[in-house]
Amino acid sequence: MTQNGTESKIRVIIADDHPLIIKGITELLEKNHRFVITKTFTNGNALLQSTAVPDADVLLLDLNMPGKDGLQVLEEIKSMKLKAKILVLTSYFSKELAEQCQAAGANGYILKSDNLDRLADNILEVMEGKGVFPDFSMKTEEDPNEFTYMDEFLKKYNLTKRETEVIQMVCKGYNSKEIADQLYLSSFTVQTHRRNIFRKLNIEGNTIALYKFASAHGLL
């Protein structure tokens, strides 16, 4: 890819609900002269509404985001027939989920637990038309499936996926108005979710107890 006889930069958008991960990936990629980070997002709805997306060459997309999740974002962007290559960047080591993302149009599925020093190479590979997906053949039957765990977790505590999002955001220090803005909900709805969460977990509005619960169950 050249521009006026020189190599043009690859324009990258990062979408992840953890600002520290965005910061780390930004610092990593900006060490390489081939890349420029044009925009970052922590919310799926905000990403889809952005005018920056049609101009992007690559989208690094987390699956767990408030608003529309990564899979919904992936499906919508692919339906728009935009040029951006999409690399799913996730914690979920799941062959089924990777296949679902690939079927929806993802060009790669990269695990956050892997050495992200290869992320720049992965991006260049998908820009050349290659697919970048994990080798799941080494996965043993004893390895936990995180989606299965989450389903069991939700059933055990009678929580909804939306309530787990609220738990995560409360533990990150967001107040009800900020949560409402991020999740495109009314403040009243967020307050209702919070009351239901404390009632279901029997922790009587104790934010410290909520943080301990979230930490113990891998929600942070």
Side-chain angles (χ1 to χ4, degrees), residues 194-214:
R194 293 181 70 145
R195 285 195 298 271
N196 289 339
I197 288 165
F198 288 126
R199 175 180 55 79
K200 290 177 180 180
L201 301 182
N202 194 28
I203 53 179
E204 299 180 356
N206 187 327
T207 303
I208 299 301
L210 183 65
Y211 184 90
K212 290 180 178 178
F213 173 86

Side-chain angles (χ1 to χ4, degrees), residues 15-218:
D16 194 291
D17 68 334
H18 288 88
L20 285 178
I21 290 179
I22 290 178
K23 183 175 184 291
I25 294 173
T26 298
E27 292 176 352
L28 177 67
L29 293 181
E30 286 187 341
K31 292 177 183 178
N32 190 314
H33 72 279
R34 295 290 307 278
F35 306 106
V36 58
I37 309 302
T38 57
K39 202 78 173 176
T40 64
F41 298 91
T42 58
N43 181 287
N45 292 344
L47 168 62
L48 287 171
Q49 294 167 5
S50 172
T51 58
V53 175
D55 294 326
D57 298 308
V58 173
L59 170 59
L60 298 179
L61 182 64
D62 186 23
L63 291 178
N64 251 344
M65 287 191 296
K68 292 192 174 180
D69 64 33
L71 193 55
Q72 291 172 309
V73 170
L74 169 61
E75 291 170 344
E76 289 204 24
I77 288 181
K78 284 302 180 179
S79 72
M80 298 175 193
K81 302 189 183 304
L82 301 179
K83 67 177 181 178
K85 304 287 188 181
I86 300 180
L87 274 167
V88 171
L89 192 60
T90 182
S91 302
Y92 296 121
F93 190 91
S94 166
K95 181 179 179 182
E96 294 77 13
L97 188 57
E99 290 173 346
Q100 189 176 0
C101 290
Q102 188 172 15
N107 303 98
Y109 187 96
I110 298 174
L111 299 171
K112 291 179 181 178
S113 58
D114 286 349
N115 186 350
L116 290 184
D117 287 343
R118 288 208 70 249
L119 182 58
D121 292 333
N122 294 148
I123 293 174
L124 293 176
E125 287 173 23
V126 299
M127 290 299 295
E128 293 171 357
K130 300 175 183 176
V132 179
F133 292 87
D135 179 6
F136 291 98
S137 63
M138 301 301 293
K139 182 176 172 62
T140 65
E141 292 181 0
E142 290 74 25
D143 289 335
N145 183 300
E146 295 188 45
F147 267 20
T148 301
Y149 165 77
M150 183 57 69
D151 287 341
E152 293 173 352
F153 166 78
L154 295 175
K155 290 176 183 177
K156 179 178 179 180
Y157 293 98
N158 195 28
L159 293 167
T160 67
K161 290 183 180 180
R162 179 64 83 190
E163 286 168 346
T164 62
E165 289 178 336
V166 172
I167 290 172
Q168 290 170 325
M169 297 189 75
V170 169
C171 292
K172 290 177 184 178
Y174 290 96
N175 61 37
S176 292
K177 184 181 183 307
E178 291 169 331
I179 295 172
D181 291 342
Q182 288 283 325
L183 299 183
Y184 294 86
L185 301 172
S186 69
S187 293
F188 176 79
T189 299
V190 173
Q191 290 287 5
T192 300
H193 281 316
R194 293 181 70 145
R195 285 195 298 271
N196 289 339
I197 288 165
F198 288 126
R199 175 180 55 79
K200 290 177 180 180
L201 301 182
N202 194 28
I203 53 179
E204 299 180 356
N206 187 327
T207 303
I208 299 301
L210 183 65
Y211 184 90
K212 290 180 178 178
F213 173 86
S215 178
H217 293 86

